[in-house]
């Protein structure tokens, strides 16, 4: 990708370039070396666990202006990558250069892995370093590396006037002459942000869709003002275009010190009308699905809003935070509570990324778990529909319970049990809802059966790395529940699992009923008991997991749009 030199805010940009150079000199990068205990072969093996997958969407019928917008968005995305690398660690650009220049035999593999992980720490191995750089600072590149959370608390105690600036989403903390200062993103990353803003403005100018242009323009302005509110609102209002861009500082996971600082990232995606129509068919039946929940009528939540702003898109490019490590298949934004209050939030499901993971991860798992014949019949569409219904099901069922006369969210009543139960609920209510929609004629029985079968294989995918995390535990719970009721059986001779279709549907409905009742009554004790009995990986399940070791852990996206884009930028 070639960037044109920045034409705006050059003066501000130059100071930052000089500061960055000074910085790099100070910690002048030594020749890169592998971390202790990491061998060159390990690195190659780790890279192999991430299956390369071409990610693309049909672009043949795009109009000329749409191609210009996409081309600018992809280039602006690459700028998000640059900034994110700095947010992870300011030594990253220098180390990357050094890796590229190194003639060590492992340097090429290390550079490839560095690019996947956006730095020298392995995001799939608890952020252990694979290059000899020491442990990752918990505050990433957002804070002085030696600053602890306690230090920061002590500072804020003494300087309450700093609280807002220091704990905001869009600033970094630096030490200057022994004192802590906050530097807004617009200053810290002024030069790259100016380039990104120019690209977004060019895209806005090319756009023939006003809502899209409004988002791109207001986002460019936010890069310069650090005020993202208006552009978050504009993002919620994008309509009437198949281009779905999401670009800017969003998630705070990279800040393991305080969970406060937002990381730059980008999704460039295209929506297609067939997927949208199918999704509308599901969304318009949310009230019916609530009515048909397997729960007493008094617990049904028919007064709630059934607006469910979910979109299904195909990604053509991602960058920054979301590109690093494990690939996202859905996101829900914005995070700003003020926007959520005013406009709600939007969940975006990435269909082609889901498809790539289905092909490279779920399909081989299904063949191992269910056997070659049954495994080969597991199809993408039923599985993806179940995934969509999982997301919609988060919006079904009890939201509040009354505790001592006060209405509190279910999550508060169930406390530490809540996430596992809520994830299990979304799975079982989603599958149950698929049956309801089949009765309505939206799907046939074979489709529903295929969804259950794919889901059974998917339970193994979810527990592959343990049942400590909510999704893994929810999967263990469902397997254990169905197993005890004889709905899933092991063919000892062939070492594969099979579901009794009717019994599996029944067991699924019973578990849905139990979880919904626990949520409706805020039954903390029953929630704990359910997790204790079922929230562990059963031995039958555990025995099969070693056979899944060769299945890729995740995919490594290869964005083919880049190869076609060369001629798209002209025409302004
Ligand atoms: Zn969920």
């Amino acid at each position: 990708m070639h960037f044109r030199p920045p034409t705006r805010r050059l003066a501000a940009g130059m100071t930052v370039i000089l500061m960055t150079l000074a910085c790099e000199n100070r910690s002048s990068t030594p020749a890169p070396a592998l971390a202790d205990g990491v061998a060159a072969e390990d690195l190659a093996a780790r890279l192999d666990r991430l299956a390369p997958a071409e990610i693309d969407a049909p672009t043949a019928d795009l109009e000329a202006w749409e191609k210009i917008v996409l081309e600018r968005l992809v280039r602006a995305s690459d700028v998000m990558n640059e900034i994110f690398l700095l947010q992870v660690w300011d030594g990253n650009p220098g180390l990357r250069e050094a890796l590229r220049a190194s003639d060590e035999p492992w340097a090429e593999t290390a550079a490839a892995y560095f690019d996947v992980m956006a730095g020298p720490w392995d995001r799939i191995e608890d952020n252990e370093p694979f290059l000899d750089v020491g442990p990752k600072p918990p505050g990433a590149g957002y804070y002085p590396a030696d600053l602890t959370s306690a230090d920061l608390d002590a500072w804020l105690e003494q300087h309450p006037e700093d609280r807002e600036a220091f704990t905001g989403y869009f600033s970094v903390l630096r030490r200057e002459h022994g004192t802590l200062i906050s530097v807004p993103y617009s200053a810290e990353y002024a030069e790259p942000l100016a380039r990104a803003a120019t690209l977004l403005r060019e895209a806005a100018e090319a756009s023939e869709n006003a809502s899209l242009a409004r988002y791109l323009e207001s986002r460019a302005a936010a890069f310069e003002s650090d005020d993202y509110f208006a552009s978050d609102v504009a993002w919620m209002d994008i309509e009437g275009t198949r281009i779905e861009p999401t670009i800017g500082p969003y998630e705070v996971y990279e800040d393991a010190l305080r969970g406060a600082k937002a990381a730059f990232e980008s999704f460039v995606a295209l929506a297609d009308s067939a997927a949208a129509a199918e999704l509308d068919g599901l969304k318009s039946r949310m009230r019916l699905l609530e009515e048909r929940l397997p729960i007493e009528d008094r617990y049904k939540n028919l007064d709630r809003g059934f607006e469910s702003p979910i979109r299904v898109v195909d990604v053509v490019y991602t960058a920054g935070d979301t590109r690093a490590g494990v690939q996202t298949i859905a996101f829900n934004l914005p995070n700003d509570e003020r926007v959520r209050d005013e406009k709600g939030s939007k969940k975006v499901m990435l269909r082609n990324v889901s498809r790539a993971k289905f092909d490279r991860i779920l399909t081989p798992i299904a063949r191992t778990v269910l056997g070659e014949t049954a495994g080969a019949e597991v199809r993408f569409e039923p599985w993806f529909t179940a995934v969509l219904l999982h997301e919609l099901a988060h919006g079904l069922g009890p939201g509040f319970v009354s505790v001592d006369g006060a209405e509190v969210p279910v999550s508060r009543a169930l406390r530490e049990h809540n996430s596992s139960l809520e994830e299990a609920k979304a799975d079982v209510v989603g599958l149950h809802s698929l049956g309801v929609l089949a009765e309505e004629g939206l799907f046939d029985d074979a489709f529903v059966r295929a969804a259950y079968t794919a889901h059974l294989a998917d339970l193994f995918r979810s527990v592959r790395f343990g049942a400590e995390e909510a999704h893994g535990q929810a999967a263990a719970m469902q397997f254990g529940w169905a197993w005890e009721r004889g709905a899933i059986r092991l063919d000892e001779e062939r070492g594969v699992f099979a579901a009794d279709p009717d019994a599996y549907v029944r067991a699924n409905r019973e578990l849905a009923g139990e979880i919904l009742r626990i949520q409706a009554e805020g039954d903390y004790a029953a929630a704990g008991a359910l997790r204790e009995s079922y929230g562990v990986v059963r031995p039958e399940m555990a025995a099969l997991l070693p056979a899944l070791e060769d299945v890729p852990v995740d995919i490594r996206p290869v964005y083919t749009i880049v190869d076609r884009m060369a001629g798209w930028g002209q025409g302004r």
Side-chain angles (χ1 to χ4, degrees), residues 110-122:
Y113 207 54
F114 178 100
D115 283 347
V116 169
M117 293 300 160
W121 296 282
D122 191 332

Side-chain angles (χ1 to χ4, degrees), residues 347 390-391 394 422-423 426 471:
K347 178 135 205 167
H390 169 110
E391 297 305 336
H394 277 306
E422 178 59 25
E423 286 311 324
H471 294 81

Side-chain angles (χ1 to χ4, degrees), residues 18-58:
L18 293 175
M19 276 163 54
T20 312
L21 286 176
C23 221
E24 278 167 14
N25 280 340
R26 203 171 49 230
S27 54
S28 71
T29 321
L34 291 171
D36 266 358
V38 175
E41 313 84 76
D42 299 342
L43 223 44
R46 290 194 206 182
L47 198 57
D48 282 346
R49 293 184 305 184
L50 305 168
E54 290 195 355
I55 302 290
D56 207 347

Side-chain angles (χ1 to χ4, degrees), residues 411-566:
S411 58
R412 188 130 36 101
L414 299 184
R415 303 205 289 272
E416 77 274 19
H417 305 318
N418 181 65
S419 348
S420 303
L421 256 70
E422 178 59 25
E423 286 311 324
K425 177 203 91 174
D427 271 359
V428 292
V429 168
L431 282 176
H432 170 77
S433 301
L434 191 60
V436 173
L437 295 169
E439 285 169 31
E440 295 292 302
L442 265 73
F443 305 104
D444 61 24
D445 290 346
F447 190 93
V448 177
R449 247 194 329 275
Y452 272 89
T453 309
H455 186 66
L456 173 54
D458 212 6
L459 296 179
F460 284 81
R461 184 185 60 84
S462 299
V463 300
R464 200 144 72 105
F465 307 111
E468 287 74 40
E469 181 271 344
H471 294 81
Q473 188 164 96
M477 213 182 277
Q478 293 168 69
F479 182 90
W481 182 277
W483 176 269
E484 272 193 8
R485 282 152 186 79
I488 299 170
R489 284 188 307 265
L490 175 64
D491 178 336
E492 306 257 3
E493 207 169 294
R494 294 168 58 225
V496 297
F497 289 89
D500 171 333
D502 294 335
Y504 194 15
V505 169
R506 228 170 15 245
N508 183 76
R509 186 173 51 229
E510 278 172 27
L511 181 56
E514 174 65 1
I515 295 175
L516 290 166
R517 183 200 64 76
I518 290 172
Q519 292 186 327
E521 296 173 0
D523 192 341
Y524 178 79
L530 189 67
R531 283 181 74 200
E532 189 146 326
S533 314
Y534 296 103
V536 284
V537 180
R538 284 193 65 93
E540 297 82 7
M541 209 178 192
L544 197 102
L545 296 181
L548 304 179
E549 250 161 37
D550 289 339
V551 176
V553 170
D554 200 48
I555 58 160
R556 221 184 320 154
V558 178
Y559 294 113
T560 45
I561 192 174
V562 177
D563 304 331
R564 296 198 300 281
M565 242 176 42

